[in-house]
């Protein structure tokens, strides 16, 4: 029987829609394993029984409508890092469908867009970090935070940096060793070397994780990822989900609660068995999270500073 590596290595980058339908049982509900930004993810079974994840993008997906789709996807496929999900292939095919219009059936052209990734057996980080879920201890939480930051450091320090623009627990997939991998690059932007930020009128993202300058002014920058990372670090550290009813300033109440409540006394009550080193780690992560969500984007730390901070070298 062929090994997993040999099967994957034989897959062409550009896959046929008929093949993806076959390995997902025609995108059946039984094969559905989750939903992400602008699409549904299905489990695909290869000929040797091994699995891949197939994301079927919605018609309104920004990536699906991107005129540079293939270039952008191949840029993501070229990424190789332990904390970045490995992209295996893609599909973009025009389909003709019969649609009823005013009592008559007409032919309508549609474009089906799909992305294929390595399969993550443990699902998303959201399954583990919140109180009441499958609780993980502090050592694992700290390792996850450091690993996510290493993945973001990789993206932000490429020769042409990539801004993810949708960092959240649901877009971090866990492998069998509970190592997180940044996934879902549907909103990602390639960033020119000399640019400090770019502007867009098409603001998209996940409520509660969007940087304020992006939400209100359409500013896309590396610091927008840092803001999302700050919320993420706070959620992982506290076990508390960012739920905000404030539609004008999403996340502000959550941030203020963390800032005020997570004192040394509260840390001790939450993590009563921590030794001095681990207690310092929790304090450091809370402080980093608060620094990352400053309203002025230029006041937020860069990802290399955050990594140094976590490693105790800053």
């Amino acid at each position: 029987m062929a090994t997993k590596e040999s099967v994957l290595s034989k897959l062409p980058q550009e896959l046929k829609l008929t093949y993806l339908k076959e390995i997902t049982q025609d995108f059946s509900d039984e094969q559905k394993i989750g939903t992400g930004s602008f699409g549904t993810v299905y489990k695909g079974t290869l000929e040797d029984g091994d699995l891949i994840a197939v994301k079927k993008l919605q018609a309104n997906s920004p990536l699906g409508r991107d005129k540079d789709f293939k270039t952008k996807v191949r840029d993501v496929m070229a990424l190789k890092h332990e904390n970045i999900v490995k992209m295996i292939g893609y599909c973009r095919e025009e389909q003709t469908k019969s649609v009823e219009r005013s009592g008559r059936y007409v032919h309508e052209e549609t474009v089906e867009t799909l992305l294929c990734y390595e399969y993550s057996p443990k699902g998303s980080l959201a399954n583990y970090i919140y109180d009441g879920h499958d609780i993980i201890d502090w050592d694992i939480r700290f390792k996850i935070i450091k690993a996510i930051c290493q993945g973001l450091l990789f993206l932000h320090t490429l020769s042409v940096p990539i801004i993810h623009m949708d960092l959240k627990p649901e877009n971090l997939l866990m492998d069998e060793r509970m190592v997180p991998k940044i996934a879902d690059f549907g909103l990602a932007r390639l960033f020119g070397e000399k640019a400090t930020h770019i502007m867009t009128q098409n603001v998209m993202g996940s409520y509660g994780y969007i940087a304020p300058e992006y939400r209100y002014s359409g500013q896309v920058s590396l610091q927008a990822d840092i803001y999302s990372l700050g919320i993420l670090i706070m959620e992982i550290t506290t076990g508390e989900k960012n739920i905000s009813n404030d539609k004008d300033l999403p996340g502000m109440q959550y941030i203020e609660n963390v800032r005020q409540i997570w004192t040394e006394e509260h840390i001790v009550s939450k993590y009563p068995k921590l030794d001095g080193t681990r207690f310092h780690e929790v304090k450091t992560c809370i402080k980093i999270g608060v620094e990352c969500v400053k309203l002025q984007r230029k006041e937020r730390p860069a990802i290399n500073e955050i990594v140094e901070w976590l490693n105790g070298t800053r």
Side-chain angles (χ1 to χ4, degrees), residues 70-305:
K70 289 187 178 181
T71 300
K72 192 171 182 180
V73 166
R74 285 169 179 162
D75 285 336
V76 174
M77 291 185 74
L79 302 178
K80 298 187 187 307
H81 189 275
E82 182 183 16
N83 303 117
I84 306 294
V85 74
K86 182 180 178 182
M87 190 169 172
I88 297 166
Y90 63 91
C91 172
R92 190 168 193 171
E93 286 188 20
E94 289 188 359
Q95 298 285 299
T96 302
K97 295 183 178 180
S98 294
V99 181
E100 186 178 359
R101 302 280 190 215
S102 302
R104 298 177 59 188
Y105 282 93
V106 297
H107 293 298
E108 190 175 89
E109 297 293 331
T110 61
V111 177
E112 294 282 4
T113 307
L114 303 98
L115 305 173
C116 301
Y117 300 96
E118 62 180 323
Y119 182 72
S120 300
K122 297 284 189 179
S124 81
L125 180 62
N127 295 331
Y128 303 97
I129 59 173
Y130 301 122
D131 292 344
H133 286 57
D134 294 329
I135 302 302
I136 50 178
D137 65 21
W138 171 249
D139 285 346
I140 295 176
R141 288 175 186 268
F142 191 54
K143 287 178 182 178
I144 288 171
I145 289 171
K146 293 177 75 173
I148 294 167
C149 290
Q150 287 293 339
L152 194 61
L153 176 67
F154 172 77
L155 294 176
H156 281 194
T157 55
L158 291 167
S159 57
V160 179
I162 293 178
I163 314 174
H164 187 274
M165 296 306 296
D166 202 16
L167 284 175
K168 60 180 180 178
E170 290 79 5
N171 286 342
L172 288 151
L173 302 180
M174 313 302 292
D175 72 7
E176 62 280 352
R177 298 175 296 128
M178 288 297 287
V179 173
K181 297 176 184 291
I182 298 174
D184 204 332
F185 287 78
L187 298 180
R189 307 292 184 96
L190 301 180
F191 209 50
E193 287 183 68
K194 297 181 180 179
T196 58
H197 68 277
I198 56 179
M199 304 295 291
T200 182
Q201 294 181 338
N202 194 21
V203 174
M204 298 180 179
S206 298
Y207 188 77
Y209 298 88
I210 302 175
E213 73 276 3
Y214 174 57
R215 178 178 172 85
Y216 299 113
S217 303
Q219 290 186 36
V220 177
S221 69
L222 298 174
Q223 291 89 353
D225 271 355
I226 298 298
Y227 183 92
S228 303
L229 177 66
I231 297 289
L232 192 54
I233 288 175
M234 284 191 256
E235 288 191 316
I236 297 170
T237 304
T238 66
E240 298 166 359
K241 188 171 178 58
N242 172 20
I243 299 174
S244 174
N245 295 320
D246 187 347
K247 294 184 179 180
D248 291 327
L249 292 171
M252 289 298 108
Q253 187 60 57
Y254 175 79
I255 293 166
E256 192 57 31
N257 286 344
V258 172
R259 185 184 284 116
Q260 291 185 8
I261 295 173
W262 277 78
T263 60
E264 291 189 0
E265 293 78 12
H266 191 75
I267 293 172
V268 170
S269 66
K270 173 72 176 183
Y271 295 108
K273 298 181 180 180
L274 294 185
D275 59 20
T277 298
R278 291 172 174 81
F279 179 79
H280 178 71
E281 290 170 354
V282 176
K283 282 180 61 178
T284 298
C285 287
I286 293 294
K287 188 171 183 179
I288 290 172
V290 170
E291 289 291 311
C292 287
V293 296
K294 286 188 172 180
L295 289 178
Q296 298 300 318
R297 66 178 182 85
K298 292 183 179 180
E299 295 181 5
R300 299 169 199 154
I303 187 60
N304 61 305
E305 296 176 291

